Amino acid sequence: MSHSIQPAAIHFNQSGMPISDLFDDIYFSNQDGLAESHYVFLQGNRLPQRFRNLPAGTPFVVAETGFGSGLNMLLTAFEFLRHAPADAHLHLVSFERYPMTSASIRQALQHWPQLQALVEQLVSCYPPLVRGCHRLNLHPRITLDLHFGEILDALPAWQVANPKVVNAWYLDGFAPSKNPQMWQPDLYQAMAAAAADTCTLATFTSVGKVRRGLQDAGFAMRKQKGFGHKREMLVGSRVQPQSPKLRALQKKSVPQTIAVIGGGIAAASVAQELKAYRQRYSSGDKNSLKIILLCQDSTLAAGASGNAQGAVYPLLQADFTPTTEFYTQAFVYARQFYQQHAPSLCHWSGVLQLAFNEKMATRQHHSMQRSYYPADFATLVDATQASAISGIQCSSGGLWLPSAGWLNPARLVEQLISEAVDELHLNTRVEQVEKQQAGFSIETSQGTMHAEQVIWASGANLQQLNHNQLDIRPAAGQVTQIKATVATAALKAVICHKGYLTPADSGQHCLGATFTKLASGETDYQVHADHDAANIALSERYLPLAITESDCVAARASVRATTADHLPLVGQLPHAPPGVWVLGGLGSRGFTSAPWCARHLVDRIFGLPGATTHRVQRAIDSSRLLNRAQASPARARSLR
């Protein structure tokens, strides 16, 4: 499996239409690409009339086998907004091995002014050309999951995590004679496994081998008149749909109230994603879903989410592991999420990871030699380049992440929560969560509350779930704030080594951070003066800026919730009744991972298509790190 993604090699013909150099084939018709797309894919799947009849509360999922210029997906979005009810939601899923650049997409689609608003939105959030699934918000009512990679790898991996969700398939891509490696039985089988029972299918080709392959996979296929001069095309539908009665039994019940327990970035991200779900599927009606947040502290962001500055950047390993895949797509989503909700608190000035020893330099070179990442995502720089980029003198080069940066954590958490929740309860410690006939009774220090579902997102305080069922490993960290000096004030980007230094904000930098393993169950940790000295000594070892203890103006200590494999815990709370969920174990990268994890959790709660592969879903599943000590069935009913 190749993990590198090469941009599409294209040129534009005299009519201004894109041509693939690799496949020697057109992306869409010279005659009228928009009309062709509408005829083959939208009319072929009867989408305008199906859009008009969509019920509220469930997404309509359209998937395609080749994103190309994005014409099919954007036209589908345009027609959805024209025809669908205001409370309907469209979920688009597309796969592409050789993605076009955003500039090429804009050029290719300039011929259709009616699409330009959607084109510009796509371009504004278009992801870096990195393998994996990237979730984009095209519109408050339209989600696009864009997969970069070989479809015969990506589609089966996605389908395992998302069986039977696709309502309409676009079997697109370059012609079977030009791109035979895509048009294979394995593709048709994966499409059928992902197809809902009422799924339809349309494709521009009428090749007999394709028709027979789709029939063997479980689609009833027939020919119909093709577009323009093309004689025939294929349309089809899933064989043997379920009965309406059975489908009704399988439909998830939607909770009316969800209680989120926590006060940091995990809880804030969950609250925002719940609010977004309500806006997408209930037109923002608060009566359809009430969001309450219970925080045991007197202020929000009182724990590890409360530092003055925090870096946001991906964890890139030497090999493209599930960890790398997760953090890459989480970072891309987090950047979009923060830019949407709090742009004034974000500073995308880049992150420089110094090659501070030979081992780190070898790891960085190994990763970049494999071409996992494009230059606008990650690139190696030497000491001279690192100095110019950062604004201060660097003795070594490293890995430059130009789209990364830093933000104001405490202010961000407060803003996200204040905008999203319907009820905020501070100084409210959850003592017990008890399963009732309908939902859960939540016993707190301030009285009893009720919710249909409960989400634990309380950072290091997850250890109060004393079944000893989550392998949370507490680790304390102290961040030192120093005043900007003549030497440090020129810093333009976050610099990471074994610690980190942020650019100045209001005349102060953040310098950190210590790492102290704590005993299981510890959640309180105080500031230590000698830890400021340790932070300064570590910084001076790699960045000799003549910082002294006299430059210190403040310090902050908190406890992080880490896991053995440095990946979060997302999913159902193990050994708890259905309806109790957990998002935790974010460690020191919570602001990179929390938004994506929150969206993934909300997708699972409401049975929506997920923007991930099966291997990433397994890697972050909340049950993977269970301790040997298991809670008894009786104990599992009461969560302390």
Side-chain angles (χ1 to χ4, degrees), residues 126-173:
Y126 196 66
L129 305 189
V130 177
R131 180 179 177 270
C133 179
H134 304 287
R135 172 158 286 180
L136 312 178
N137 296 317
L138 291 184
H139 184 275
R141 296 168 53 206
I142 303 172
T143 300
L144 168 62
D145 289 342
L146 183 52
H147 296 252
F148 289 158
E150 173 58 57
I151 191 169
L152 293 180
D153 298 325
L155 174 54
W158 176 79
Q159 171 271 314
V160 172
N162 296 278
K164 303 183 75 171
V165 298
V166 178
N167 302 108
W169 266 111
Y170 297 174
L171 182 48
D172 199 5

Side-chain angles (χ1 to χ4, degrees), residues 433 435 440 454 456 465 467 469 571-582 626 630-640:
V433 176
K435 183 73 176 76
F440 296 89
V454 177
W456 288 89
L465 300 175
H467 299 286
Q469 56 189 355
Q572 296 187 54
L573 183 65
H575 307 299
V580 182
W581 307 85
V582 63
L626 290 180
Q630 302 293 326
S632 68
R635 184 75 177 279
R637 292 181 57 81
S638 177
L639 310 175
R640 292 186 180 274

Side-chain angles (χ1 to χ4, degrees), residues 217-290:
F219 291 99
M221 303 301 300
R222 63 182 176 84
K223 294 180 180 179
Q224 71 175 35
K225 172 69 176 66
F227 175 76
H229 67 274
K230 190 168 177 58
R231 183 178 175 184
E232 294 174 322
M233 57 174 276
L234 293 173
V235 297
S237 60
R238 193 76 173 92
V239 176
Q240 296 178 340
Q242 284 184 354
S243 69
K245 181 178 180 180
L246 183 57
R247 288 200 303 273
L249 291 174
Q250 292 180 341
K251 184 176 175 65
K252 280 181 173 284
S253 59
V254 177
Q256 292 180 317
T257 302
I258 294 184
V260 181
I261 301 170
I265 188 58
S269 298
V270 167
Q272 276 290 344
E273 292 295 353
L274 288 170
K275 177 187 174 185
Y277 170 85
R278 183 170 66 193
Q279 291 175 328
R280 287 193 296 271
Y281 296 104
S282 305
S283 300
D285 182 9
K286 294 183 179 181
N287 293 323
S288 65
L289 174 62
K290 184 178 181 181

Side-chain angles (χ1 to χ4, degrees), residues 22-61:
L22 178 63
F23 296 103
D24 189 27
D25 201 2
I26 58 175
Y27 276 83
F28 41 74
S29 168
N30 281 322
Q31 181 181 351
D32 189 339
L34 193 71
E36 176 189 42
S37 179
H38 195 283
Y39 178 85
V40 173
F41 296 113
L42 279 95
Q43 293 184 42
N45 282 287
R46 309 186 310 278
L47 292 190
Q49 52 268 50
R50 292 169 76 184
F51 286 162
R52 284 191 286 269
N53 297 322
L54 286 179
T58 55
F60 189 89
V61 182

Side-chain angles (χ1 to χ4, degrees), residues 183-203:
W183 302 78
Q184 297 291 330
D186 287 350
L187 173 66
Y188 312 141
Q189 294 290 339
M191 290 172 60
D197 295 309
T198 56
C199 182
T200 60
L201 179 150
T203 179

